[in-house]
Amino acid sequence: MLALLLLGAGGSCAAPVRSQELRPLTLAEALAEARSASPEAIAARARARAADHVARAEGAYRWPTLMAEAGGVRTNDPVAVFGGRLLQGRLTRDDFDPARLVDPEALADWRAGLSAGWSPLSPVDARRHEAAVLEADAADLSAEWVTASVAFRVHVDYLRAVGAERTLAAARASLASAEADLSWVKSRESEGLLTRADLLLAAAHVEEARSRLMAADQAVADARGFLAADLGWPVGVVPAPVDTTLLDPLGPDDPRPPSAGDPALGDRPDLLASSRVVEATRARVRQAEAARWPDLSGSARIESHAPRPWEGARGAWTVGVQVTVPLFAGFSLTARRDAATAQVRAEEGAHEGRTRMAVAEIEAARRAVATSAQRAGAASAAAEAAAEAVRLQRLRFEEGLVDTARLLSTESWAADLTARAVDASVERQVSMARLAYLTRTGMNR
């Protein structure tokens, strides 16, 4: 057992080497890249652009439509032949011959036309466009909130990556200290001043420190991997955070979290988007109701017919106006109105729920900022006290006043407190970032 422990103590705990490109990254760069280049933010902005185009398409009813057409037919259908000759202006007395009417010669008719239509007063189209504009506005606001959410997530990833790096550094120092203890115990055991049990304890302590180092090394890789994924970086490119002082205690000139008070939710993009959705569903109700109103439209057409392309064409024009009044549609209009009304009630309830949850989240975030600051201070003080206790215990151990088990136990306890202090500092910064995100005070930084 001793041989195995000593062999492990002399081995390497380095992780397998992977082909990776480390790219230094500041927090400001990470946040800017998250807003501009993360896949989630890009997708949200694309959906918003799609909604904008839909709104533009729904507003096209205000403009007249214009279509051109050209084509030709050849037929011996009696009705088509008679009508074609009439349209071409080539109808003669002989065409009324009964035999020729029944069995006419084939006729070629080449036609070209230009038609226009306009219904700018359509009540259904107007309400449909109104709803589409509100839905596009909601999509734009949602994209803004998604972008802010991605930036917040990247901020948290960055803080956790910095914290993992700091924990890894502490784990390396702990392993170096444990190996130094083992070397010292070995020399004392060979001199007969310490026992084999002391040597086993020291070797076990080294392996415990090595296990901590492996876990810390994995945590660094995981944190960097999540940060790279949220940034949308290609596989094999790993961010290396360089703002390593983010977890240091706040100084007198550092920004403080927003003060407590009633949260102002009026400009939160997600809640504004939710409100726009409610307004859009109300517009859909008005659209369903407008289907009962008269619809006025106008049309115009210019066309020509000729027996041969570009030769002997005869023109004609048509102008018309039409009023459509729905009388009975099989109760479909009532059903659509009732469905839209029910959707309004659903969206109003969902919006109220989102607003209440936002208020609760902000209040919880404020409490978390206050609590995490106290926890971080206590954890830092505990880690400092433990480090001093280790120093004093090592002096007493070297003088023979403390046994090996007591020294190694104190060192393990100090290592735990150091890791907890780092975690508490990370959580304090995360809680502050979350409060800034929820209250929009940090969305544009």
Side-chain angles (χ1 to χ4, degrees):
M1 181 183 300
L2 177 60
L4 289 174
L5 289 173
L6 293 178
L7 180 61
S12 172
C13 65
V17 177
R18 301 177 179 88
S19 177
Q20 293 181 334
E21 174 191 350
L22 281 179
R23 184 180 300 175
L25 185 70
T26 66
L27 177 59
E29 292 170 343
L31 294 178
E33 193 163 343
R35 296 186 181 101
S36 63
S38 68
E40 195 171 339
I42 292 174
R45 287 193 290 270
R47 286 191 291 269
R49 286 194 299 271
D52 288 336
H53 292 317
V54 169
R56 287 179 55 197
E58 296 294 356
Y61 79 97
R62 297 170 297 181
W63 297 89
T65 60
L66 187 64
M67 292 183 291
E69 60 182 69
V73 297
R74 185 173 179 82
T75 179
N76 66 350
D77 179 87
V79 176
V81 169
F82 187 86
R85 293 183 68 83
L86 180 62
L87 290 171
Q88 292 174 4
R90 298 192 300 122
L91 194 65
T92 65
R93 186 184 301 273
D94 294 337
D95 292 315
F96 289 92
D97 180 20
R100 191 169 182 177
L101 284 173
V102 174
D103 187 17
E105 295 179 1
L107 173 75
D109 183 32
W110 296 90
R111 61 183 181 272
L114 191 65
S115 60
W118 197 16
S119 55
L121 302 179
S122 171
V124 174
D125 290 341
R127 301 302 180 272
R128 183 184 291 114
H129 178 231
E130 178 188 1
V133 169
L134 290 168
E135 289 166 355
D137 193 16
D140 288 337
L141 290 165
S142 294
E144 182 182 349
W145 185 248
V146 167
T147 301
S149 300
V150 172
F152 165 67
R153 196 165 64 239
V154 165
H155 192 169
V156 173
D157 290 341
Y158 196 97
L159 291 172
R160 296 199 188 285
V162 172
E165 289 280 2
R166 187 163 292 189
T167 301
L168 178 61
R172 288 196 181 106
S174 179
L175 177 59
S177 177
E179 289 174 340
D181 289 342
L182 176 60
S183 178
W184 195 86
V185 170
K186 279 183 181 179
S187 64
R188 288 303 180 92
E189 191 267 344
S190 63
E191 296 172 0
L193 299 177
L194 292 177
T195 66
R196 185 180 180 83
D198 293 316
L199 185 59
L200 286 170
L201 284 173
H205 184 57
V206 168
E207 293 309 308
E208 179 188 11
R210 195 184 309 281
S211 176
R212 292 176 186 272
L213 180 59
M214 291 177 181
D217 189 55
Q218 177 186 339
V220 169
D222 292 345
R224 288 177 171 180
F226 286 124
L227 178 56
D230 280 333
L231 289 172
W233 284 13
V235 176
V237 181
V238 179
V242 297
D243 290 340
T244 57
T245 61
L246 289 174
L247 305 184
D248 292 344
L250 293 177
D253 297 328
D254 290 322
R256 295 291 172 175
S259 59
D262 294 333
L265 301 176
D267 60 346
R268 272 265 298 261
D270 59 330
L271 298 180
L272 287 175
S274 179
S275 176
R276 295 295 189 278
V277 170
V278 173
E279 295 175 18
T281 55
R282 291 171 180 162
R284 294 297 182 187
V285 173
R286 293 191 291 272
Q287 175 188 335
E289 293 172 343
R292 300 180 180 276
W293 302 350
D295 191 352
L296 177 65
S297 61
S299 61
R301 179 178 177 83
I302 301 174
E303 60 183 348
S304 65
H305 294 264
R308 288 173 297 277
W310 320 113
E311 182 180 345
R314 182 176 183 271
W317 58 268
T318 304
V319 176
V321 64
Q322 177 176 307
V323 177
T324 304
V325 181
L327 298 178
F328 180 69
F331 304 105
S332 62
L333 301 182
T334 300
R336 290 192 180 95
R337 183 201 60 195
D338 293 343
T341 302
Q343 187 65 29
V344 169
R345 289 195 292 267
E347 293 298 340
E348 287 175 343
H351 176 66
E352 182 179 358
R354 294 186 192 102
T355 303
R356 291 178 180 272
M357 182 57 67
V359 172
E361 287 176 344
I362 290 177
E363 292 306 314
R366 294 189 191 281
R367 290 190 293 269
V369 167
T371 302
S372 63
Q374 296 174 353
R375 289 184 63 248
S380 178
E384 292 175 0
E388 179 64 14
V390 168
R391 187 185 69 83
L392 296 176
Q393 287 285 55
R394 182 171 285 111
L395 291 175
R396 298 187 67 194
F397 173 73
E398 292 174 355
E399 295 174 358
L401 301 177
V402 174
D403 59 17
T404 304
R406 178 67 63 85
L407 172 63
L408 300 182
S409 175
T410 303
E411 289 183 344
S412 296
W413 171 65
D416 285 337
L417 291 180
T418 299
R420 292 178 188 176
V422 173
D423 291 342
S425 182
V426 170
E427 291 309 313
R428 182 190 183 190
Q429 295 292 337
V430 168
S431 67
M432 293 175 63
R434 180 173 179 79
L435 181 57
Y437 158 66
L438 293 175
T439 56
R440 285 181 55 87
T441 56
M443 288 179 60
N444 297 319
R445 290 190 303 179

